[in-house]
PDB file of all heavy atoms in Angstrom:
ATOM      1  N   THR A   1       0.796  -1.227   0.000  1.00  0.00           N
ATOM      2  CA  THR A   1       0.000   0.000   0.000  1.00  0.00           C
ATOM      3  C   THR A   1       0.829   1.278   0.000  1.00  0.00           C
ATOM      4  O   THR A   1       0.317   2.336  -0.341  1.00  0.00           O
ATOM      5  CB  THR A   1      -0.930   0.042   1.225  1.00  0.00           C
ATOM      6  OG1 THR A   1      -0.139  -0.077   2.412  1.00  0.00           O
ATOM      7  CG2 THR A   1      -1.951  -1.085   1.171  1.00  0.00           C
ATOM      8  N   THR A   2       2.096   1.215   0.367  1.00  0.00           N
ATOM      9  CA  THR A   2       2.871   2.454   0.453  1.00  0.00           C
ATOM     10  C   THR A   2       4.007   2.484  -0.563  1.00  0.00           C
ATOM     11  O   THR A   2       4.509   1.437  -0.993  1.00  0.00           O
ATOM     12  CB  THR A   2       3.482   2.647   1.854  1.00  0.00           C
ATOM     13  OG1 THR A   2       4.497   1.656   2.062  1.00  0.00           O
ATOM     14  CG2 THR A   2       2.430   2.549   2.944  1.00  0.00           C
ATOM     15  N   GLU A   3       4.394   3.675  -0.912  1.00  0.00           N
ATOM     16  CA  GLU A   3       5.514   3.883  -1.831  1.00  0.00           C
ATOM     17  C   GLU A   3       6.809   3.323  -1.241  1.00  0.00           C
ATOM     18  O   GLU A   3       7.654   2.774  -1.953  1.00  0.00           O
ATOM     19  CB  GLU A   3       5.660   5.384  -2.115  1.00  0.00           C
ATOM     20  CG  GLU A   3       6.498   5.708  -3.310  1.00  0.00           C
ATOM     21  CD  GLU A   3       5.846   5.341  -4.635  1.00  0.00           C
ATOM     22  OE1 GLU A   3       4.614   5.336  -4.734  1.00  0.00           O
ATOM     23  OE2 GLU A   3       6.601   5.049  -5.573  1.00  0.00           O
ATOM     24  N   ALA A   4       6.962   3.435   0.072  1.00  0.00           N
ATOM     25  CA  ALA A   4       8.166   2.924   0.741  1.00  0.00           C
ATOM     26  C   ALA A   4       8.265   1.406   0.608  1.00  0.00           C
ATOM     27  O   ALA A   4       9.354   0.857   0.392  1.00  0.00           O
ATOM     28  CB  ALA A   4       8.161   3.328   2.213  1.00  0.00           C
ATOM     29  N   GLU A   5       7.138   0.703   0.735  1.00  0.00           N
ATOM     30  CA  GLU A   5       7.143  -0.756   0.589  1.00  0.00           C
ATOM     31  C   GLU A   5       7.486  -1.158  -0.844  1.00  0.00           C
ATOM     32  O   GLU A   5       8.233  -2.102  -1.067  1.00  0.00           O
ATOM     33  CB  GLU A   5       5.778  -1.334   0.958  1.00  0.00           C
ATOM     34  CG  GLU A   5       5.448  -1.263   2.428  1.00  0.00           C
ATOM     35  CD  GLU A   5       4.034  -1.730   2.714  1.00  0.00           C
ATOM     36  OE1 GLU A   5       3.099  -1.279   2.019  1.00  0.00           O
ATOM     37  OE2 GLU A   5       3.878  -2.564   3.625  1.00  0.00           O
ATOM     38  N   ILE A   6       6.942  -0.441  -1.807  1.00  0.00           N
ATOM     39  CA  ILE A   6       7.244  -0.714  -3.215  1.00  0.00           C
ATOM     40  C   ILE A   6       8.730  -0.505  -3.477  1.00  0.00           C
ATOM     41  O   ILE A   6       9.387  -1.328  -4.113  1.00  0.00           O
ATOM     42  CB  ILE A   6       6.399   0.175  -4.144  1.00  0.00           C
ATOM     43  CG1 ILE A   6       4.929  -0.223  -4.041  1.00  0.00           C
ATOM     44  CG2 ILE A   6       6.877   0.077  -5.592  1.00  0.00           C
ATOM     45  CD1 ILE A   6       3.979   0.749  -4.699  1.00  0.00           C
ATOM     46  N   HIS A   7       9.278   0.584  -2.976  1.00  0.00           N
ATOM     47  CA  HIS A   7      10.701   0.883  -3.161  1.00  0.00           C
ATOM     48  C   HIS A   7      11.569  -0.205  -2.523  1.00  0.00           C
ATOM     49  O   HIS A   7      12.549  -0.648  -3.121  1.00  0.00           O
ATOM     50  CB  HIS A   7      11.037   2.245  -2.562  1.00  0.00           C
ATOM     51  CG  HIS A   7      12.494   2.556  -2.596  1.00  0.00           C
ATOM     52  ND1 HIS A   7      13.140   2.959  -3.735  1.00  0.00           N
ATOM     53  CD2 HIS A   7      13.445   2.476  -1.632  1.00  0.00           C
ATOM     54  CE1 HIS A   7      14.424   3.134  -3.475  1.00  0.00           C
ATOM     55  NE2 HIS A   7      14.629   2.846  -2.204  1.00  0.00           N
ATOM     56  N   ALA A   8      11.211  -0.621  -1.314  1.00  0.00           N
ATOM     57  CA  ALA A   8      12.004  -1.627  -0.606  1.00  0.00           C
ATOM     58  C   ALA A   8      12.039  -2.944  -1.374  1.00  0.00           C
ATOM     59  O   ALA A   8      13.103  -3.542  -1.555  1.00  0.00           O
ATOM     60  CB  ALA A   8      11.439  -1.839   0.801  1.00  0.00           C
ATOM     61  N   LEU A   9      10.874  -3.402  -1.837  1.00  0.00           N
ATOM     62  CA  LEU A   9      10.833  -4.652  -2.594  1.00  0.00           C
ATOM     63  C   LEU A   9      11.562  -4.503  -3.923  1.00  0.00           C
ATOM     64  O   LEU A   9      12.330  -5.388  -4.321  1.00  0.00           O
ATOM     65  CB  LEU A   9       9.391  -5.094  -2.824  1.00  0.00           C
ATOM     66  CG  LEU A   9       9.218  -6.372  -3.636  1.00  0.00           C
ATOM     67  CD1 LEU A   9       9.936  -7.550  -2.975  1.00  0.00           C
ATOM     68  CD2 LEU A   9       7.749  -6.683  -3.842  1.00  0.00           C
ATOM     69  N   ASP A  10      11.358  -3.388  -4.595  1.00  0.00           N
ATOM     70  CA  ASP A  10      12.010  -3.157  -5.889  1.00  0.00           C
ATOM     71  C   ASP A  10      13.528  -3.189  -5.748  1.00  0.00           C
ATOM     72  O   ASP A  10      14.217  -3.797  -6.554  1.00  0.00           O
ATOM     73  CB  ASP A  10      11.548  -1.827  -6.474  1.00  0.00           C
ATOM     74  CG  ASP A  10      12.066  -1.611  -7.882  1.00  0.00           C
ATOM     75  OD1 ASP A  10      11.907  -2.523  -8.714  1.00  0.00           O
ATOM     76  OD2 ASP A  10      12.642  -0.531  -8.147  1.00  0.00           O
ATOM     77  N   ARG A  11      14.044  -2.558  -4.731  1.00  0.00           N
ATOM     78  CA  ARG A  11      15.496  -2.530  -4.500  1.00  0.00           C
ATOM     79  C   ARG A  11      16.041  -3.950  -4.331  1.00  0.00           C
ATOM     80  O   ARG A  11      17.038  -4.327  -4.936  1.00  0.00           O
ATOM     81  CB  ARG A  11      15.798  -1.688  -3.266  1.00  0.00           C
ATOM     82  CG  ARG A  11      17.241  -1.674  -2.868  1.00  0.00           C
ATOM     83  CD  ARG A  11      17.403  -0.863  -1.580  1.00  0.00           C
ATOM     84  NE  ARG A  11      18.628  -1.173  -0.921  1.00  0.00           N
ATOM     85  CZ  ARG A  11      19.748  -0.463  -1.052  1.00  0.00           C
ATOM     86  NH1 ARG A  11      19.764   0.588  -1.826  1.00  0.00           N
ATOM     87  NH2 ARG A  11      20.835  -0.816  -0.412  1.00  0.00           N
ATOM     88  N   ALA A  12      15.348  -4.766  -3.533  1.00  0.00           N
ATOM     89  CA  ALA A  12      15.793  -6.146  -3.306  1.00  0.00           C
ATOM     90  C   ALA A  12      15.723  -6.957  -4.597  1.00  0.00           C
ATOM     91  O   ALA A  12      16.642  -7.725  -4.903  1.00  0.00           O
ATOM     92  CB  ALA A  12      14.948  -6.794  -2.211  1.00  0.00           C
ATOM     93  N   LEU A  13      14.662  -6.768  -5.383  1.00  0.00           N
ATOM     94  CA  LEU A  13      14.518  -7.531  -6.627  1.00  0.00           C
ATOM     95  C   LEU A  13      15.580  -7.160  -7.657  1.00  0.00           C
ATOM     96  O   LEU A  13      16.052  -8.019  -8.395  1.00  0.00           O
ATOM     97  CB  LEU A  13      13.122  -7.327  -7.218  1.00  0.00           C
ATOM     98  CG  LEU A  13      11.974  -7.917  -6.397  1.00  0.00           C
ATOM     99  CD1 LEU A  13      10.642  -7.588  -7.043  1.00  0.00           C
ATOM    100  CD2 LEU A  13      12.142  -9.406  -6.196  1.00  0.00           C
ATOM    101  N   VAL A  14      15.982  -5.901  -7.695  1.00  0.00           N
ATOM    102  CA  VAL A  14      17.050  -5.489  -8.610  1.00  0.00           C
ATOM    103  C   VAL A  14      18.353  -6.193  -8.234  1.00  0.00           C
ATOM    104  O   VAL A  14      19.056  -6.727  -9.090  1.00  0.00           O
ATOM    105  CB  VAL A  14      17.223  -3.957  -8.624  1.00  0.00           C
ATOM    106  CG1 VAL A  14      18.512  -3.557  -9.313  1.00  0.00           C
ATOM    107  CG2 VAL A  14      16.036  -3.296  -9.299  1.00  0.00           C
ATOM    108  N   VAL A  15      18.672  -6.203  -6.954  1.00  0.00           N
ATOM    109  CA  VAL A  15      19.907  -6.855  -6.499  1.00  0.00           C
ATOM    110  C   VAL A  15      19.893  -8.337  -6.873  1.00  0.00           C
ATOM    111  O   VAL A  15      20.860  -8.868  -7.413  1.00  0.00           O
ATOM    112  CB  VAL A  15      20.089  -6.680  -4.976  1.00  0.00           C
ATOM    113  CG1 VAL A  15      21.233  -7.530  -4.460  1.00  0.00           C
ATOM    114  CG2 VAL A  15      20.327  -5.214  -4.636  1.00  0.00           C
ATOM    115  N   ILE A  16      18.773  -9.008  -6.616  1.00  0.00           N
ATOM    116  CA  ILE A  16      18.678 -10.435  -6.905  1.00  0.00           C
ATOM    117  C   ILE A  16      18.710 -10.699  -8.408  1.00  0.00           C
ATOM    118  O   ILE A  16      19.331 -11.661  -8.862  1.00  0.00           O
ATOM    119  CB  ILE A  16      17.400 -11.025  -6.280  1.00  0.00           C
ATOM    120  CG1 ILE A  16      17.494 -10.959  -4.755  1.00  0.00           C
ATOM    121  CG2 ILE A  16      17.179 -12.466  -6.733  1.00  0.00           C
ATOM    122  CD1 ILE A  16      16.182 -11.236  -4.053  1.00  0.00           C
ATOM    123  N   SER A  17      18.072  -9.841  -9.204  1.00  0.00           N
ATOM    124  CA  SER A  17      18.055 -10.079 -10.653  1.00  0.00           C
ATOM    125  C   SER A  17      19.437  -9.911 -11.272  1.00  0.00           C
ATOM    126  O   SER A  17      19.756 -10.564 -12.252  1.00  0.00           O
ATOM    127  CB  SER A  17      17.044  -9.161 -11.346  1.00  0.00           C
ATOM    128  OG  SER A  17      17.489  -7.821 -11.363  1.00  0.00           O
ATOM    129  N   VAL A  18      20.261  -9.051 -10.685  1.00  0.00           N
ATOM    130  CA  VAL A  18      21.621  -8.858 -11.186  1.00  0.00           C
ATOM    131  C   VAL A  18      22.508 -10.037 -10.788  1.00  0.00           C
ATOM    132  O   VAL A  18      23.338 -10.488 -11.560  1.00  0.00           O
ATOM    133  CB  VAL A  18      22.211  -7.522 -10.676  1.00  0.00           C
ATOM    134  CG1 VAL A  18      23.690  -7.422 -10.994  1.00  0.00           C
ATOM    135  CG2 VAL A  18      21.456  -6.349 -11.285  1.00  0.00           C
ATOM    136  N   ASP A  19      22.320 -10.543  -9.570  1.00  0.00           N
ATOM    137  CA  ASP A  19      23.133 -11.652  -9.067  1.00  0.00           C
ATOM    138  C   ASP A  19      22.249 -12.645  -8.314  1.00  0.00           C
ATOM    139  O   ASP A  19      22.124 -12.560  -7.091  1.00  0.00           O
ATOM    140  CB  ASP A  19      24.236 -11.125  -8.150  1.00  0.00           C
ATOM    141  CG  ASP A  19      25.155 -12.217  -7.636  1.00  0.00           C
ATOM    142  OD1 ASP A  19      25.028 -13.379  -8.078  1.00  0.00           O
ATOM    143  OD2 ASP A  19      25.999 -11.904  -6.773  1.00  0.00           O
ATOM    144  N   PRO A  20      21.602 -13.571  -9.015  1.00  0.00           N
ATOM    145  CA  PRO A  20      20.687 -14.505  -8.362  1.00  0.00           C
ATOM    146  C   PRO A  20      21.328 -15.374  -7.277  1.00  0.00           C
ATOM    147  O   PRO A  20      20.642 -15.892  -6.415  1.00  0.00           O
ATOM    148  CB  PRO A  20      20.175 -15.379  -9.512  1.00  0.00           C
ATOM    149  CG  PRO A  20      20.385 -14.572 -10.733  1.00  0.00           C
ATOM    150  CD  PRO A  20      21.609 -13.745 -10.470  1.00  0.00           C
ATOM    151  N   GLY A  21      22.632 -15.515  -7.307  1.00  0.00           N
ATOM    152  CA  GLY A  21      23.305 -16.331  -6.302  1.00  0.00           C
ATOM    153  C   GLY A  21      23.660 -15.582  -5.042  1.00  0.00           C
ATOM    154  O   GLY A  21      24.285 -16.145  -4.145  1.00  0.00           O
ATOM    155  N   ILE A  22      23.249 -14.325  -4.934  1.00  0.00           N
ATOM    156  CA  ILE A  22      23.652 -13.504  -3.801  1.00  0.00           C
ATOM    157  C   ILE A  22      23.048 -13.974  -2.480  1.00  0.00           C
ATOM    158  O   ILE A  22      23.655 -13.835  -1.434  1.00  0.00           O
ATOM    159  CB  ILE A  22      23.324 -12.014  -4.048  1.00  0.00           C
ATOM    160  CG1 ILE A  22      24.068 -11.151  -3.050  1.00  0.00           C
ATOM    161  CG2 ILE A  22      21.825 -11.775  -3.996  1.00  0.00           C
ATOM    162  CD1 ILE A  22      24.057  -9.691  -3.379  1.00  0.00           C
ATOM    163  N   GLY A  23      21.872 -14.536  -2.514  1.00  0.00           N
ATOM    164  CA  GLY A  23      21.205 -14.957  -1.284  1.00  0.00           C
ATOM    165  C   GLY A  23      21.846 -16.181  -0.675  1.00  0.00           C
ATOM    166  O   GLY A  23      22.610 -16.901  -1.312  1.00  0.00           O
ATOM    167  N   GLU A  24      21.501 -16.413   0.575  1.00  0.00           N
ATOM    168  CA  GLU A  24      22.014 -17.582   1.288  1.00  0.00           C
ATOM    169  C   GLU A  24      21.060 -18.762   1.082  1.00  0.00           C
ATOM    170  O   GLU A  24      19.851 -18.587   1.130  1.00  0.00           O
ATOM    171  CB  GLU A  24      22.083 -17.287   2.786  1.00  0.00           C
ATOM    172  CG  GLU A  24      22.980 -16.128   3.137  1.00  0.00           C
ATOM    173  CD  GLU A  24      22.868 -15.761   4.616  1.00  0.00           C
ATOM    174  OE1 GLU A  24      22.163 -16.459   5.372  1.00  0.00           O
ATOM    175  OE2 GLU A  24      23.486 -14.775   4.998  1.00  0.00           O
ATOM    176  N   PRO A  25      21.611 -19.960   0.882  1.00  0.00           N
ATOM    177  CA  PRO A  25      20.752 -21.139   0.762  1.00  0.00           C
ATOM    178  C   PRO A  25      20.023 -21.404   2.080  1.00  0.00           C
ATOM    179  O   PRO A  25      20.585 -21.205   3.156  1.00  0.00           O
ATOM    180  CB  PRO A  25      21.715 -22.272   0.453  1.00  0.00           C
ATOM    181  CG  PRO A  25      22.988 -21.618   0.035  1.00  0.00           C
ATOM    182  CD  PRO A  25      23.019 -20.275   0.676  1.00  0.00           C
ATOM    183  N   ILE A  26      18.774 -21.814   1.983  1.00  0.00           N
ATOM    184  CA  ILE A  26      18.006 -22.209   3.157  1.00  0.00           C
ATOM    185  C   ILE A  26      18.068 -23.727   3.230  1.00  0.00           C
ATOM    186  O   ILE A  26      17.711 -24.409   2.264  1.00  0.00           O
ATOM    187  CB  ILE A  26      16.546 -21.732   3.042  1.00  0.00           C
ATOM    188  CG1 ILE A  26      16.504 -20.203   3.030  1.00  0.00           C
ATOM    189  CG2 ILE A  26      15.701 -22.293   4.186  1.00  0.00           C
ATOM    190  CD1 ILE A  26      15.118 -19.631   2.812  1.00  0.00           C
ATOM    191  N   PRO A  27      18.527 -24.265   4.359  1.00  0.00           N
ATOM    192  CA  PRO A  27      18.609 -25.725   4.477  1.00  0.00           C
ATOM    193  C   PRO A  27      17.242 -26.364   4.279  1.00  0.00           C
ATOM    194  O   PRO A  27      16.224 -25.833   4.719  1.00  0.00           O
ATOM    195  CB  PRO A  27      19.114 -25.942   5.905  1.00  0.00           C
ATOM    196  CG  PRO A  27      19.698 -24.646   6.322  1.00  0.00           C
ATOM    197  CD  PRO A  27      18.956 -23.583   5.563  1.00  0.00           C
ATOM    198  N   GLY A  28      17.231 -27.479   3.596  1.00  0.00           N
ATOM    199  CA  GLY A  28      15.964 -28.173   3.362  1.00  0.00           C
ATOM    200  C   GLY A  28      16.187 -29.443   2.593  1.00  0.00           C
ATOM    201  O   GLY A  28      17.312 -29.937   2.483  1.00  0.00           O
ATOM    202  N   GLY A  29      15.117 -29.947   2.016  1.00  0.00           N
ATOM    203  CA  GLY A  29      15.176 -31.189   1.259  1.00  0.00           C
ATOM    204  C   GLY A  29      16.004 -31.040  -0.012  1.00  0.00           C
ATOM    205  O   GLY A  29      16.214 -29.950  -0.517  1.00  0.00           O
ATOM    206  N   ALA A  30      16.457 -32.160  -0.519  1.00  0.00           N
ATOM    207  CA  ALA A  30      17.308 -32.166  -1.709  1.00  0.00           C
ATOM    208  C   ALA A  30      16.505 -32.165  -3.008  1.00  0.00           C
ATOM    209  O   ALA A  30      17.067 -32.006  -4.068  1.00  0.00           O
ATOM    210  CB  ALA A  30      18.229 -33.378  -1.674  1.00  0.00           C
ATOM    211  N   THR A  31      15.187 -32.369  -2.920  1.00  0.00           N
ATOM    212  CA  THR A  31      14.383 -32.407  -4.138  1.00  0.00           C
ATOM    213  C   THR A  31      13.963 -30.993  -4.528  1.00  0.00           C
ATOM    214  O   THR A  31      13.679 -30.153  -3.684  1.00  0.00           O
ATOM    215  CB  THR A  31      13.124 -33.265  -3.948  1.00  0.00           C
ATOM    216  OG1 THR A  31      12.382 -32.748  -2.853  1.00  0.00           O
ATOM    217  CG2 THR A  31      13.478 -34.710  -3.696  1.00  0.00           C
ATOM    218  N   GLY A  32      13.949 -30.746  -5.804  1.00  0.00           N
ATOM    219  CA  GLY A  32      13.538 -29.433  -6.298  1.00  0.00           C
ATOM    220  C   GLY A  32      14.662 -28.415  -6.207  1.00  0.00           C
ATOM    221  O   GLY A  32      15.752 -28.697  -5.727  1.00  0.00           O
ATOM    222  N   PRO A  33      14.377 -27.206  -6.659  1.00  0.00           N
ATOM    223  CA  PRO A  33      15.401 -26.161  -6.645  1.00  0.00           C
ATOM    224  C   PRO A  33      15.722 -25.708  -5.221  1.00  0.00           C
ATOM    225  O   PRO A  33      14.900 -25.843  -4.320  1.00  0.00           O
ATOM    226  CB  PRO A  33      14.770 -25.029  -7.458  1.00  0.00           C
ATOM    227  CG  PRO A  33      13.313 -25.295  -7.461  1.00  0.00           C
ATOM    228  CD  PRO A  33      13.129 -26.753  -7.249  1.00  0.00           C
ATOM    229  N   GLN A  34      16.917 -25.191  -5.046  1.00  0.00           N
ATOM    230  CA  GLN A  34      17.393 -24.727  -3.746  1.00  0.00           C
ATOM    231  C   GLN A  34      16.727 -23.404  -3.379  1.00  0.00           C
ATOM    232  O   GLN A  34      16.864 -22.418  -4.084  1.00  0.00           O
ATOM    233  CB  GLN A  34      18.918 -24.529  -3.784  1.00  0.00           C
ATOM    234  CG  GLN A  34      19.499 -23.905  -2.541  1.00  0.00           C
ATOM    235  CD  GLN A  34      19.475 -24.829  -1.335  1.00  0.00           C
ATOM    236  OE1 GLN A  34      20.023 -25.919  -1.392  1.00  0.00           O
ATOM    237  NE2 GLN A  34      18.863 -24.399  -0.270  1.00  0.00           N
ATOM    238  N   LEU A  35      15.996 -23.387  -2.273  1.00  0.00           N
ATOM    239  CA  LEU A  35      15.388 -22.156  -1.785  1.00  0.00           C
ATOM    240  C   LEU A  35      16.474 -21.276  -1.179  1.00  0.00           C
ATOM    241  O   LEU A  35      17.361 -21.762  -0.475  1.00  0.00           O
ATOM    242  CB  LEU A  35      14.316 -22.490  -0.743  1.00  0.00           C
ATOM    243  CG  LEU A  35      13.365 -21.377  -0.344  1.00  0.00           C
ATOM    244  CD1 LEU A  35      12.588 -20.854  -1.557  1.00  0.00           C
ATOM    245  CD2 LEU A  35      12.386 -21.865   0.715  1.00  0.00           C
ATOM    246  N   ARG A  36      16.428 -19.994  -1.492  1.00  0.00           N
ATOM    247  CA  ARG A  36      17.437 -19.042  -1.029  1.00  0.00           C
ATOM    248  C   ARG A  36      16.739 -17.879  -0.333  1.00  0.00           C
ATOM    249  O   ARG A  36      15.562 -17.637  -0.551  1.00  0.00           O
ATOM    250  CB  ARG A  36      18.265 -18.519  -2.190  1.00  0.00           C
ATOM    251  CG  ARG A  36      18.931 -19.603  -3.022  1.00  0.00           C
ATOM    252  CD  ARG A  36      19.779 -19.048  -4.134  1.00  0.00           C
ATOM    253  NE  ARG A  36      20.996 -18.448  -3.635  1.00  0.00           N
ATOM    254  CZ  ARG A  36      22.095 -19.125  -3.283  1.00  0.00           C
ATOM    255  NH1 ARG A  36      22.118 -20.424  -3.380  1.00  0.00           N
ATOM    256  NH2 ARG A  36      23.173 -18.493  -2.851  1.00  0.00           N
ATOM    257  N   GLN A  37      17.489 -17.145   0.479  1.00  0.00           N
ATOM    258  CA  GLN A  37      16.960 -15.944   1.100  1.00  0.00           C
ATOM    259  C   GLN A  37      17.952 -14.800   0.923  1.00  0.00           C
ATOM    260  O   GLN A  37      19.159 -14.998   1.010  1.00  0.00           O
ATOM    261  CB  GLN A  37      16.667 -16.161   2.574  1.00  0.00           C
ATOM    262  CG  GLN A  37      17.896 -16.446   3.418  1.00  0.00           C
ATOM    263  CD  GLN A  37      17.546 -16.665   4.871  1.00  0.00           C
ATOM    264  OE1 GLN A  37      16.463 -16.332   5.319  1.00  0.00           O
ATOM    265  NE2 GLN A  37      18.467 -17.246   5.616  1.00  0.00           N
ATOM    266  N   TYR A  38      17.425 -13.640   0.608  1.00  0.00           N
ATOM    267  CA  TYR A  38      18.253 -12.443   0.503  1.00  0.00           C
ATOM    268  C   TYR A  38      17.657 -11.408   1.446  1.00  0.00           C
ATOM    269  O   TYR A  38      16.448 -11.148   1.413  1.00  0.00           O
ATOM    270  CB  TYR A  38      18.261 -11.889  -0.921  1.00  0.00           C
ATOM    271  CG  TYR A  38      18.878 -10.514  -0.999  1.00  0.00           C
ATOM    272  CD1 TYR A  38      20.251 -10.352  -0.867  1.00  0.00           C
ATOM    273  CD2 TYR A  38      18.088  -9.386  -1.145  1.00  0.00           C
ATOM    274  CE1 TYR A  38      20.813  -9.087  -0.911  1.00  0.00           C
ATOM    275  CE2 TYR A  38      18.651  -8.129  -1.188  1.00  0.00           C
ATOM    276  CZ  TYR A  38      20.013  -7.985  -1.063  1.00  0.00           C
ATOM    277  OH  TYR A  38      20.578  -6.728  -1.085  1.00  0.00           O
ATOM    278  N   THR A  39      18.491 -10.830   2.299  1.00  0.00           N
ATOM    279  CA  THR A  39      18.036  -9.790   3.209  1.00  0.00           C
ATOM    280  C   THR A  39      18.712  -8.490   2.842  1.00  0.00           C
ATOM    281  O   THR A  39      19.938  -8.407   2.794  1.00  0.00           O
ATOM    282  CB  THR A  39      18.365 -10.154   4.670  1.00  0.00           C
ATOM    283  OG1 THR A  39      17.749 -11.408   4.971  1.00  0.00           O
ATOM    284  CG2 THR A  39      17.844  -9.094   5.632  1.00  0.00           C
ATOM    285  N   ASP A  40      17.893  -7.489   2.551  1.00  0.00           N
ATOM    286  CA  ASP A  40      18.396  -6.147   2.282  1.00  0.00           C
ATOM    287  C   ASP A  40      18.372  -5.392   3.605  1.00  0.00           C
ATOM    288  O   ASP A  40      17.302  -5.048   4.111  1.00  0.00           O
ATOM    289  CB  ASP A  40      17.518  -5.440   1.241  1.00  0.00           C
ATOM    290  CG  ASP A  40      18.102  -4.113   0.810  1.00  0.00           C
ATOM    291  OD1 ASP A  40      18.493  -3.311   1.684  1.00  0.00           O
ATOM    292  OD2 ASP A  40      18.161  -3.861  -0.409  1.00  0.00           O
ATOM    293  N   GLU A  41      19.542  -5.207   4.183  1.00  0.00           N
ATOM    294  CA  GLU A  41      19.655  -4.573   5.493  1.00  0.00           C
ATOM    295  C   GLU A  41      19.208  -3.112   5.465  1.00  0.00           C
ATOM    296  O   GLU A  41      18.666  -2.609   6.439  1.00  0.00           O
ATOM    297  CB  GLU A  41      21.106  -4.666   5.991  1.00  0.00           C
ATOM    298  CG  GLU A  41      21.659  -6.076   6.024  1.00  0.00           C
ATOM    299  CD  GLU A  41      21.200  -6.861   7.235  1.00  0.00           C
ATOM    300  OE1 GLU A  41      20.958  -6.240   8.273  1.00  0.00           O
ATOM    301  OE2 GLU A  41      21.078  -8.091   7.112  1.00  0.00           O
ATOM    302  N   VAL A  42      19.419  -2.421   4.350  1.00  0.00           N
ATOM    303  CA  VAL A  42      19.057  -1.009   4.249  1.00  0.00           C
ATOM    304  C   VAL A  42      17.542  -0.844   4.282  1.00  0.00           C
ATOM    305  O   VAL A  42      17.003   0.010   4.977  1.00  0.00           O
ATOM    306  CB  VAL A  42      19.643  -0.377   2.964  1.00  0.00           C
ATOM    307  CG1 VAL A  42      19.134   1.042   2.769  1.00  0.00           C
ATOM    308  CG2 VAL A  42      21.162  -0.416   3.000  1.00  0.00           C
ATOM    309  N   GLU A  43      16.841  -1.668   3.518  1.00  0.00           N
ATOM    310  CA  GLU A  43      15.386  -1.540   3.400  1.00  0.00           C
ATOM    311  C   GLU A  43      14.622  -2.448   4.362  1.00  0.00           C
ATOM    312  O   GLU A  43      13.397  -2.402   4.412  1.00  0.00           O
ATOM    313  CB  GLU A  43      14.947  -1.849   1.959  1.00  0.00           C
ATOM    314  CG  GLU A  43      15.497  -0.892   0.938  1.00  0.00           C
ATOM    315  CD  GLU A  43      14.944   0.522   1.079  1.00  0.00           C
ATOM    316  OE1 GLU A  43      13.922   0.729   1.765  1.00  0.00           O
ATOM    317  OE2 GLU A  43      15.552   1.420   0.489  1.00  0.00           O
ATOM    318  N   SER A  44      15.337  -3.284   5.102  1.00  0.00           N
ATOM    319  CA  SER A  44      14.708  -4.205   6.056  1.00  0.00           C
ATOM    320  C   SER A  44      13.689  -5.124   5.383  1.00  0.00           C
ATOM    321  O   SER A  44      12.545  -5.246   5.829  1.00  0.00           O
ATOM    322  CB  SER A  44      14.065  -3.435   7.208  1.00  0.00           C
ATOM    323  OG  SER A  44      15.022  -2.682   7.896  1.00  0.00           O
ATOM    324  N   VAL A  45      14.103  -5.742   4.295  1.00  0.00           N
ATOM    325  CA  VAL A  45      13.252  -6.665   3.549  1.00  0.00           C
ATOM    326  C   VAL A  45      14.012  -7.976   3.356  1.00  0.00           C
ATOM    327  O   VAL A  45      15.208  -7.983   3.074  1.00  0.00           O
ATOM    328  CB  VAL A  45      12.886  -6.077   2.167  1.00  0.00           C
ATOM    329  CG1 VAL A  45      12.199  -7.104   1.297  1.00  0.00           C
ATOM    330  CG2 VAL A  45      12.011  -4.858   2.325  1.00  0.00           C
TER     331      VAL A  45
END
């Protein structure tokens, strides 16, 4: 609902789209693609 939320998500998506491997792997099952997490400390997302 807010411009700040849109900006925060957009910033994180740009970083990930430039370098998809930037996030940390999340431990889990071996089947399927590896789930990853990226935390943008500046935008708290």
Side-chain angles (χ1 to χ4, degrees):
T1 57
T2 68
E3 196 70 29
E5 290 175 312
I6 293 169
H7 174 77
L9 179 58
D10 187 50
R11 175 183 161 96
L13 293 177
V14 167
V15 171
I16 294 168
S17 72
V18 170
D19 182 7
I22 195 168
E24 300 172 4
I26 296 176
T31 57
Q34 174 71 57
L35 193 59
R36 305 182 72 80
Q37 65 180 344
Y38 169 73
T39 302
D40 187 312
E41 305 281 330
V42 173
E43 297 293 344
S44 300
V45 171

